[in-house]
Amino acid sequence: MYAQGWIGMPVEQIPTPALVVDVEKLDRNLATMADYLARVKTNIRPHAKTHKTPAIGHKQMRAGAIGLCCATVGEAEVMVYSGIPEVMIANEIVDPLSVRRAVNLARQARVLMIVDDPENVRNIGAAARQYGAMVDVLVDLDVGQGRCGARSLEALVELAREVERTKGIRLRGVFGYEGHVQFIPDRQERTAKGQDANGRLVRAAKELSGLGMNIEIVSGAGTGTYDIAGEFPGITEIQAGSYIFMDGTYQKLGLPFEQSLTVLATVVSRPAADIAVFDVGLKGISPERFNPSVQNCGTGAIEVKSLSEEHSVTRLSDAADPRPGDKMHFIPSHCCTTVNLYDSMFVVRQGRVEAIWPVAARRA
Amino acid sequence: MYAQGWIGMPVEQIPTPALVVDVEKLDRNLATMADYLARVKTNIRPHAKTHKTPAIGHKQMRAGAIGLCCATVGEAEVMVYSGIPEVMIANEIVDPLSVRRAVNLARQARVLMIVDDPENVRNIGAAARQYGAMVDVLVDLDVGQGRCGARSLEALVELAREVERTKGIRLRGVFGYEGHVQFIPDRQERTAKGQDANGRLVRAAKELSGLGMNIEIVSGAGTGTYDIAGEFPGITEIQAGSYIFMDGTYQKLGLPFEQSLTVLATVVSRPAADIAVFDVGLKGISPERFNPSVQNCGTGAIEVKSLSEEHSVTRLSDAADPRPGDKMHFIPSHCCTTVNLYDSMFVVRQGRVEAIWPVAARRA
C-alpha cells in the first residue's frame, strides 16, 4: 500500500524498471474484442494467465466475458476469491494436492477442468465425491500443438466415456488450443492452419454429441487466431489473453489491438558514444522470443543488443543521444512472461499514474 | 506463513513447480569457497542477486564474507533491514529516487556504490550532503565485458578525481567485473582471459594509487573466475554469487561446487509413449541459455524439448516411463533468473522440508 503514494504522479517519476499499462489503450482493446465477438456471436473466456490481475479480470467480465481461463489452480483461487464467478483451469491438474485445491474451489465458484488421462479423471471424480463438489470437465484434444491433449479421436472418445462414467464430475465439452498457429505471420497461412485445427475440434465435438454425450462448450483460440476461431462454425468460445496488452510478437500480425503494456527503464550508463545501458534486464522483461524494442520519443533508433540480469545494452544510431537518467518505454516480445516478473503494475492515463494494480496471482 | 505447514514433509509432497534448495549441498559450497579463500587470503563479498534471500546472506556472513553485493537499491534495502551490516550496490544507480534511497540507506549501514559518470558522481555527492550520509564509492572500469564502466584509464582517472573532489562521498577503490569470461568452457582460455581482465583492473588500481588516491578495494570476479581472481595479486575481493547454487551453465566448468538448487515439477500429461509434459515452464524456470535438464532417478533419459508458460514438453528415451503425478527435479541453465521467479524456496535436508525461506528481495 505504500506504493500508492505514486498515484497522480507523472509516469516518468516512478521507480524503474516498472510495469506500465496505458488504461485507455487497455479499455479500447477490451471494446474492440467485445464488439467483434458480439458481431460474430461467439463467447470469450479470456485467459487470466496474461495479466494475473483481478482488476483486469473484472474489466473483462464487465466487457462481456462468460468467465476466465486460468493456467494454474493458484490463479483460479486468486480470481475466485476476488469475486470472479466462473473459472476454467485450462491445463491438466494432476498432483493430489492440486486436485484437492481445484475441487474445493468448485464449492465456492463454478470450476471447469480439462483432462487428457483416464486415471486423472477418476482421481478428480474421487476428490469431487469426497468433498461434495460438482466439477465440470472438458476433454482436451491435441489439435496440432503437440503438448497435452488426446492424440486421436478414439482416445478422446474413451476419455469422454470415462468422464461420463465417473460420479462427481460432469462432461461439458471439448477443449483444443491451437498454440502452434498463434504466431504465423502470413495471414492466409495462419487462417488455413487455424481453420484446420478448429475443424478437428468441431468434428470431435460432433462425434461426441453424436454418441449422445453432453457437449455444450467447444473452446479454442488465442489472440493470434481469435477471429479465425471466432467465425468458425461450431466454436462456442475463445480463450484469448494477450489482446489486452499486445507485445512484440503479436504486433507483427497486424491485429486491431494497441500496445497497452510497456516496461519503463532508465538510462544508467553511457560508456561510449554509440552505447546506452538501461536498468532493465532478464529480471524485468522477458526476451524469450527476441529482444525488446525501445520506444524512443526523441530522434534516432535505440536497438537492444543484449540483456543481462538487470541491464539492457543498446546500440544507438547517430541521432540518438539519451542521457543517464532519461526514461524510456520498452516493449517485450512476450507480455505474459513479462507480467509474471512483477508484483504490481502502474496504471497510467494521459501520462499520470491513476492506480497501482496488484498482480495478485503472480506466483499463486 | 501458511506455507510453513510443509515443514517436516517429504519433498515429493510439496506443490509444484517449487524452488528447492538442498541445504547440505549449500553449506558445503559455502565451506568450499571459504576454505579456498582463506588459503589464498582473498576476501569475498558474495553477490546477493543470486539468492535475494536474507537467510542465505547471513549464512554467507557467518562463512566469512566481508559484506554482500546487491544488484539494485531494493535488494540492498532488504539485506540491510534484515541485519546485513555492509552492502555494495554493484551497479550504477542514477535516477534521483534511487540515488536518494541509496544515500539514505547509508545512514543505516555501510553502503558502497559504483560509478562511471561524472554527473552521477556529483548527484550522489549532493544527495549525501543533503541527507547527511557518508557514501563509499568505487570507480567502475570496463575490463572487457562491454556493459557499464569507464572505457579507458584516462576516463577512470577523471572519474576518480571527480569522486575525490566531491564532498559527502569517499573514494574507496576500483571495480571491474569480467562478465565476458565467466562461461568460457576451456580452463586455459578462461584463465588467460580472466587474468587479462584482472590485470587491467589491478594496473588501474596502481595508477590511481600512484596519483595519491585511496584505493583499498580492488573488486572483481564471478563464480567462473573465482579462483583466477582469487589468486591474482592485487585483487582484494571477489563478487561471486552462483557458487552457492550452481546451474547448468556453471556445471560445465568442472568447478568444486555442488548443484544445490533445483525446481521440482510434476508430470501432468503422457499424451504419447515418448512424450511427458511437466508442470514447469517459462514462469517457473529460466531457459535463457539452454533448456533445463531433468534429474531422472528411474531409468532412461528425459530431455526437455520445449517450454511454454507453464509446461515443459520432454522427449523420453525407450527406458523412461514417468507416470502422471510423478515428480522430478529440473536443473535450470541459470540459477539467478530462476530464483527471481519465486517468492520463497523450500529448504530440504535428506529429502524432507526443513524450512521455507522468503526470497525477500525478489522484486524489491
Side-chain angles (χ1 to χ4, degrees):
Chain A
M1 286 302 114
Y2 298 123
Q4 309 297 346
W6 293 106
I7 290 175
M9 304 292 276
V11 64
E12 293 75 22
Q13 292 187 20
I14 61 179
T16 59
L19 190 67
V20 174
V21 61
D22 182 315
V23 68
E24 293 177 302
K25 292 179 181 170
L26 177 75
D27 285 343
R28 285 198 292 270
N29 289 343
L30 289 167
T32 298
M33 182 63 93
D35 290 351
Y36 166 76
L37 291 173
R39 213 157 60 239
V40 298
K41 297 188 169 48
T42 298
N43 290 322
I44 186 166
R45 192 186 302 268
H47 213 314
K49 72 179 172 123
T50 301
H51 54 71
K52 291 175 174 270
T53 300
I56 297 180
H58 283 284
K59 271 184 179 281
Q60 291 175 313
M61 295 300 289
R62 288 196 295 275
I66 58 169
L68 297 181
C69 286
C70 294
T72 66
V73 179
E75 277 178 29
E77 288 169 340
V78 170
M79 293 301 154
V80 165
Y81 301 153
S82 76
I84 302 293
E86 179 170 326
V87 291
M88 178 192 291
I89 306 171
N91 282 322
E92 278 69 15
I93 301 302
V94 170
D95 89 290
L97 168 68
S98 300
V99 168
R100 202 164 79 214
R101 287 166 66 186
V103 165
N104 275 277
L105 193 64
R107 304 167 79 176
Q108 313 214 6
R110 284 188 302 280
V111 172
L112 296 90
M113 297 179 71
I114 72 168
V115 294
D116 76 353
D117 177 71
E119 188 181 340
N120 186 219
V121 170
R122 293 188 287 273
N123 290 339
I124 294 171
R129 294 191 301 277
Q130 181 182 353
Y131 296 104
M134 175 53 68
V135 175
D136 291 345
V137 169
L138 280 69
V139 287
D140 183 8
L141 178 69
D142 175 37
V143 294
Q145 184 183 25
R147 197 171 64 186
C148 301
R151 288 292 195 271
S152 68
L153 189 54
E154 295 67 40
L156 192 77
V157 169
E158 261 319 294
L159 200 57
R161 288 211 166 103
E162 190 72 41
V163 175
E164 290 215 313
R165 271 195 291 271
T166 304
K167 290 193 173 53
I169 63 177
R170 174 170 54 194
L171 182 66
R172 290 288 303 282
V174 295
F175 175 103
Y177 174 56
E178 64 276 28
H180 58 301
V181 183
Q182 297 307 315
F183 308 136
I184 298 173
D186 181 71
R187 171 78 208 188
Q188 270 194 304
E189 185 189 348
R190 195 165 76 251
T191 302
K193 293 200 168 150
Q195 289 176 340
D196 173 72
N198 296 156
R200 286 200 239 180
L201 189 64
V202 169
R203 278 195 302 280
K206 286 182 178 157
E207 180 84 13
L208 298 185
S209 290
L211 294 168
M213 296 181 185
N214 179 50
I215 303 298
E216 305 159 56
I217 299 173
V218 182
S219 173
T223 292
T225 56
Y226 81 102
D227 60 348
I228 301 164
E231 291 162 40
F232 196 91
I235 299 284
T236 65
E237 59 183 69
I238 67 167
Q239 311 156 14
S242 300
Y243 70 100
I244 58 169
F245 292 146
M246 293 295 285
D247 57 28
T249 310
Y250 277 125
Q251 274 190 359
K252 296 180 179 173
L253 301 190
L255 305 175
F257 306 108
E258 299 174 58
Q259 183 67 43
S260 69
L261 185 87
T262 56
V263 174
L264 190 71
T266 303
V267 177
V268 290
S269 180
R270 275 297 305 278
D274 61 341
I275 295 176
V277 184
F278 289 78
D279 66 349
V280 65
L282 299 163
K283 289 176 174 172
I285 198 162
S286 74
E288 77 226 21
R289 294 172 185 155
F290 45 83
N291 285 342
S293 58
V294 184
Q295 286 180 335
N296 179 18
C297 299
T299 50
I302 301 178
E303 189 190 356
V304 177
K305 301 300 285 183
S306 66
L307 291 96
S308 44
E309 287 167 54
E310 299 285 358
H311 297 99
S312 291
V313 178
T314 68
R315 181 69 47 125
L316 309 176
S317 74
D318 287 348
D321 188 26
R323 305 310 312 165
D326 285 358
K327 295 191 180 185
M328 290 185 195
H329 292 268
F330 281 50
I331 298 172
S333 60
H334 188 184
C335 57
C336 306
T337 48
T338 295
V339 169
N340 186 56
L341 298 169
Y342 290 87
D343 290 330
S344 57
M345 59 180 78
F346 288 87
V347 182
V348 169
R349 188 188 301 271
Q350 307 279 334
R352 284 188 179 265
V353 179
E354 176 168 296
I356 297 173
W357 289 337
V359 184
R362 192 193 55 80
R363 193 62 269 168
Chain B
M1 288 302 115
Y2 298 124
Q4 309 299 345
W6 294 107
I7 291 176
M9 304 290 276
V11 64
E12 293 74 22
Q13 291 187 20
I14 61 179
T16 59
L19 191 66
V20 174
V21 61
D22 183 315
V23 69
E24 292 177 302
K25 292 178 181 172
L26 177 77
D27 285 343
R28 284 198 293 269
N29 289 343
L30 289 166
T32 298
M33 181 63 93
D35 290 350
Y36 167 76
L37 291 172
R39 212 157 60 238
V40 298
K41 296 187 170 52
T42 299
N43 290 323
I44 185 166
R45 194 186 300 268
H47 213 313
K49 70 176 174 126
T50 301
H51 54 72
K52 290 177 174 269
T53 300
I56 296 179
H58 283 284
K59 269 183 180 281
Q60 291 174 314
M61 295 300 288
R62 288 195 296 274
I66 57 169
L68 297 181
C69 286
C70 295
T72 67
V73 179
E75 276 178 27
E77 289 169 340
V78 170
M79 293 302 154
V80 165
Y81 301 154
S82 76
I84 301 294
E86 177 169 327
V87 290
M88 179 191 292
I89 305 172
N91 282 322
E92 278 68 15
I93 301 301
V94 170
D95 88 291
L97 167 68
S98 299
V99 169
R100 204 165 79 216
R101 286 166 67 185
V103 165
N104 275 278
L105 193 64
R107 303 168 78 176
Q108 313 215 3
R110 286 189 300 281
V111 173
L112 295 90
M113 297 179 71
I114 72 168
V115 295
D116 75 353
D117 178 71
E119 188 180 341
N120 185 218
V121 170
R122 294 189 287 274
N123 290 340
I124 294 170
R129 295 190 300 276
Q130 181 182 352
Y131 296 103
M134 175 53 68
V135 175
D136 291 346
V137 169
L138 280 70
V139 287
D140 183 8
L141 177 69
D142 176 36
V143 292
Q145 184 184 25
R147 198 171 65 186
C148 301
R151 288 293 195 268
S152 68
L153 188 55
E154 295 67 40
L156 192 76
V157 169
E158 261 319 295
L159 200 57
R161 288 210 166 102
E162 191 71 43
V163 175
E164 289 214 313
R165 270 195 293 270
T166 303
K167 290 195 173 53
I169 63 177
R170 174 169 56 190
L171 183 65
R172 290 288 305 282
V174 295
F175 176 102
Y177 174 56
E178 65 276 29
H180 58 303
V181 183
Q182 297 307 314
F183 308 137
I184 297 174
D186 181 72
R187 172 78 209 192
Q188 271 195 306
E189 185 189 348
R190 195 164 76 251
T191 301
K193 291 197 168 151
Q195 288 176 341
D196 173 73
N198 295 157
R200 287 201 237 179
L201 189 64
V202 170
R203 280 195 300 280
K206 286 183 178 157
E207 180 83 15
L208 298 185
S209 290
L211 294 169
M213 296 182 186
N214 179 48
I215 303 297
E216 305 158 57
I217 298 173
V218 183
S219 175
T223 293
T225 56
Y226 81 101
D227 60 347
I228 301 164
E231 291 162 41
F232 196 92
I235 299 285
T236 64
E237 60 184 67
I238 66 168
Q239 312 156 15
S242 300
Y243 70 99
I244 57 168
F245 292 146
M246 294 294 284
D247 57 28
T249 310
Y250 277 125
Q251 274 190 359
K252 296 179 178 174
L253 301 191
L255 305 174
F257 305 108
E258 299 174 59
Q259 184 66 45
S260 69
L261 185 86
T262 56
V263 174
L264 191 70
T266 303
V267 177
V268 290
S269 180
R270 274 298 304 279
D274 61 341
I275 296 176
V277 184
F278 289 78
D279 67 349
V280 64
L282 300 163
K283 289 176 175 172
I285 198 162
S286 74
E288 78 226 22
R289 294 172 186 154
F290 45 84
N291 285 343
S293 58
V294 184
Q295 286 180 334
N296 179 19
C297 300
T299 50
I302 301 178
E303 189 191 356
V304 176
K305 302 301 285 184
S306 66
L307 289 94
S308 45
E309 288 167 52
E310 300 284 359
H311 297 100
S312 291
V313 178
T314 68
R315 181 69 49 124
L316 308 176
S317 74
D318 287 347
D321 189 26
R323 304 312 310 167
D326 286 358
K327 296 191 179 181
M328 289 184 196
H329 292 269
F330 281 50
I331 298 171
S333 60
H334 188 182
C335 57
C336 306
T337 48
T338 295
V339 169
N340 186 55
L341 298 170
Y342 290 86
D343 290 330
S344 57
M345 59 181 79
F346 288 87
V347 183
V348 170
R349 187 187 303 269
Q350 307 278 335
R352 284 189 179 264
V353 178
E354 176 167 297
I356 297 174
W357 288 339
V359 185
R362 192 192 57 82
R363 192 63 268 166

